[in-house]
Amino acid sequence: MIQNKHRFFTSESVTEGHPDKMCDQISDAILDAILAKDPNARVACESVVCTGTVFVMGQITTTAVVDYASIVRDTVRNIGYTRAKFGFDADSCGVIISLDKQSPDIALGVDNSGEYKDRGEILDLYGAGDQGMMFGYACNETPELMPMAIMLAQKISYRLAQVRKEGILEYLRPDGKCQVTVEYDENDNPCRIDTIVLSTQHSPTVDSATIAQDMITHVIRPVVPLDLLDEKTKYYINPTGRFEIGGPAADSGLTGRKIIVDTYGGYCAHGGGAFSGKDPTKVDRSAAYMARYICKNIVAAGLADKIQVQVSYAIGRSKPVSIDVNTYGTGKVSDAVLSQIIGEEFDLRPRAIIEKFQLQRPIYLATASYGHFGREEFAWEQLDKVNDLKKYI
């Protein structure tokens, strides 16, 4: 009879040279360029990359004048696609722009919330830019209060790009991805790393054995705590044997296709809305940031060991339709009470969120690779509500 109560959980990350992540960065670079000149712009911008071509499409209403093609080329160049033999070239690729203005029907709800007519509060003037549900999550598995598998996968992917850019491993090329499997003990605590899968684009001049050894020495071991690795940890480096053709030459890319990489690695629910290319009136982005902020502060305050929060909105309304809490039985108060606490302690109206995190600034390109959460440089990761929340314990 099987007695082992351990479980295994896997999360994935990709480098900035992955085709989908290229698109996220292009869309957010355009958003940043517009917000730098017009903080009140409405932006919903998506990108597609395929062999030799970038398509930029969407709805943008702004007074800013920006050179979209130059932004695209600069972003691709900074990622590292500067030669045709890498599978893409920033200077010779085609750039096709197809942009229109935001629907005036949406603007009606965003700029003239019906709740303002009822209460007259200025923060109620602005409604949500769309309907939908957003999720936040936090747990005490890591110092960042994030699930361990996604944090390690992001760190490995970031390190892979770092050793390429610094010339430590000159045969590397921009595309790559990582997958980490964490083993949990009978008390549901992470106890070891079971498997690491790492695939990296490379030049044709290097052999597979060299790549495998270099990935362990220069990429994995510098960022993964050594006490989590043991003689049973399995490493799969470029499992097919070769990865010479990468980037858009190997696979098309699309903005918003890596929403699980961007968030919690599949460890909790996801509302389905992507982040990149959207200005902060879109609650897909801003409310998801607030939900993470709420969860992180609750865990840091000791009110729960882990928590998932769902908020939902109706287009044109400022107040959330619902707030749902799940602490998986780890809460120091009931989930229903926590839901009430959140409603009292956190202002979830879109304009309040925008003002809290100063979201009408050009801050978004940095979010478009290696995750939107668990990184202290972002305002929604601050822990300034901990003392206010401790009174509820």
Side-chain angles (χ1 to χ4, degrees), residues 29-50:
I30 289 172
L31 172 62
D32 278 356
I34 293 171
L35 290 179
K37 297 181 177 181
D38 179 13
N40 295 309
R42 299 286 189 264
V43 181
C45 174
E46 296 182 337
S47 306
V48 175
V49 295
C50 59

Side-chain angles (χ1 to χ4, degrees), residues 184-249:
Y184 290 78
D185 63 21
E186 59 274 8
N187 297 314
D188 209 33
N189 296 315
C191 59
R192 60 181 292 273
I193 305 302
D194 182 74
T195 307
I196 296 175
V197 182
L198 182 57
S199 297
T200 179
Q201 186 187 9
H202 58 84
S203 73
T205 60
V206 63
D207 62 85
S208 298
T210 298
I211 296 172
Q213 184 58 54
D214 284 346
M215 291 302 100
I216 294 172
T217 302
H218 295 287
V219 177
I220 295 171
R221 294 182 72 85
V223 297
V224 177
L226 297 183
D227 60 341
L228 293 174
L229 303 173
D230 57 31
E231 67 281 358
K232 294 183 179 180
T233 300
K234 298 179 284 294
Y235 302 93
Y236 298 109
I237 312 297
N238 282 6
T240 64
R242 304 295 290 174
F243 187 2
E244 295 177 29
I245 302 172

Side-chain angles (χ1 to χ4, degrees), residues 20 31 75 90 148 174 178 209 220 224 231-232 245 248 251 270 278 303 306 331-332 340 375 380:
D20 293 331
L31 172 62
T75 305
M148 181 175 287
C178 173
I220 295 171
V224 177
E231 67 281 358
K232 294 183 179 180
I245 302 172
D251 193 9
H270 196 293
K278 296 178 181 177
L303 279 166
K306 55 184 174 181
K332 303 305 185 288
Q340 295 175 353
R375 298 166 59 186
W380 46 91

Side-chain angles (χ1 to χ4, degrees), residues 52-53 87 98 122 155 259 268 298 352 368:
T53 309
S98 180
I122 191 65
K155 289 179 179 181
I259 58 176
C268 69
I298 286 173

Side-chain angles (χ1 to χ4, degrees), residues 306-348:
K306 55 184 174 181
I307 181 173
Q308 173 184 280
V309 168
Q310 183 208 54
V311 292
S312 65
Y313 290 85
I315 187 169
R317 309 297 291 183
S318 63
K319 292 276 189 175
V321 174
S322 66
I323 302 171
D324 180 72
V325 173
N326 184 2
T327 62
Y328 309 90
T330 70
K332 303 305 185 288
V333 298
S334 72
D335 291 353
V337 169
L338 263 179
S339 181
Q340 295 175 353
I341 291 171
I342 290 168
E344 293 175 5
E345 292 288 342
F346 299 91
D347 195 337
L348 289 162

Side-chain angles (χ1 to χ4, degrees), residues 261-315:
V261 172
D262 283 343
T263 53
Y264 306 99
Y267 212 88
C268 69
H270 196 293
F275 299 155
S276 292
K278 296 178 181 177
D279 75 80
T281 66
K282 279 73 172 174
V283 284
D284 275 342
R285 183 167 219 158
S286 53
Y289 291 169
M290 175 56 84
R292 162 61 179 171
Y293 170 72
I294 292 168
C295 292
K296 186 176 182 182
N297 276 268
I298 286 173
V299 171
L303 279 166
D305 294 335
K306 55 184 174 181
I307 181 173
Q308 173 184 280
V309 168
Q310 183 208 54
V311 292
S312 65
Y313 290 85
I315 187 169

